[in-house]
Amino acid sequence: RHQKRSLKQRAKHPIKIHIWGGISMRGATNVVMFTGIMNAERLRTVFEVGLLPFIREIYPDGHRLQQDNDPKHASALIDDFFEDHGVNWWATPPESPDLNPIELIWGTLKQYLRNFYKPRNLQQLKDGIKEFWRTLTPEVCTRYIKHLDKVIPKVIQVNGDPSGY
């Protein structure tokens, strides 16, 4: 006879939160966490809280922001915001995660949360994100950014297709 095993159903993604953050060779921005739908208005608020203070404090002598061409990032509202606040945005091709070092950070963060922190509720998830974010020293951020030295020649070699990095 086989006994029925009781399996608990689990949601595929039981806890959700959106995060925004940036890295530079001088360190990481503050991480901004929020719930709800990301749109251009919310992104503007995120930039006001996360990006502008970082630029003013860490890069008063000039900066260059790299982000993908997500429609929200390239909206007229964000273009006006960048112009009004002197944000120097360097556009990259759409769908180019190989050329965006922050994508490596997101992958490492997800792995850290899944394998080490294992949050069981929203507060633990936030705490785990903050704990991981504190590990992003200027040296760590620089290693992620310098990864582009390997990626760019490969992207050129494959005519802009995914490089496998």
Side-chain angles (χ1 to χ4, degrees):
R1 271 207 217 211
H2 296 294
Q3 284 188 348
K4 269 188 169 178
R5 288 196 311 180
S6 174
L7 299 176
K8 287 185 182 179
Q9 287 189 339
R10 290 176 31 186
K12 185 173 180 183
H13 303 289
I15 309 167
K16 280 197 171 185
I17 191 165
H18 295 284
I19 62 174
W20 177 92
I23 60 171
S24 78
M25 290 186 178
R26 296 182 189 172
T29 66
N30 287 328
V31 64
V32 179
M33 295 182 250
F34 57 94
T35 57
I37 296 170
M38 172 61 93
N39 55 30
E41 292 82 15
R42 175 155 292 152
L43 183 60
R44 181 182 57 199
T45 301
V46 166
F47 285 155
E48 288 170 345
V49 172
L51 178 63
L52 292 182
F54 181 77
I55 289 171
R56 289 181 187 130
E57 180 181 344
I58 306 299
Y59 283 96
D61 51 339
H63 67 280
R64 183 174 47 222
L65 172 68
Q66 178 186 350
Q67 63 177 358
D68 62 29
N69 281 329
D70 179 290
K72 292 175 289 296
H73 298 167
S75 70
L77 181 70
I78 297 302
D79 280 346
D80 290 346
F81 176 84
F82 284 169
E83 188 173 325
D84 292 347
H85 294 281
V87 176
N88 180 13
W89 175 40
W90 177 47
T92 56
E95 302 295 323
S96 57
D98 291 352
L99 300 176
N100 194 346
I102 198 72
E103 295 300 332
L104 298 171
I105 298 288
W106 301 142
T108 305
L109 170 61
K110 288 176 186 177
Q111 183 179 30
Y112 171 80
L113 292 170
R114 192 177 308 119
N115 297 334
F116 300 106
Y117 206 82
K118 301 179 183 179
R120 294 181 178 268
N121 58 49
L122 183 60
Q123 187 58 53
Q124 288 178 359
L125 177 60
K126 289 178 180 180
D127 292 345
I129 291 167
K130 289 177 193 173
E131 184 176 296
F132 172 82
W133 208 255
R134 283 191 292 272
T135 69
L136 298 178
T137 63
E139 296 77 23
V140 170
C141 292
T142 297
R143 280 198 309 271
Y144 280 100
I145 293 165
K146 288 288 190 180
H147 179 71
L148 287 174
D149 293 345
K150 288 193 301 188
V151 173
I152 290 173
K154 183 66 174 174
V155 168
I156 292 169
Q157 181 183 357
V158 296
N159 296 316
D161 289 335
S163 69
Y165 281 105

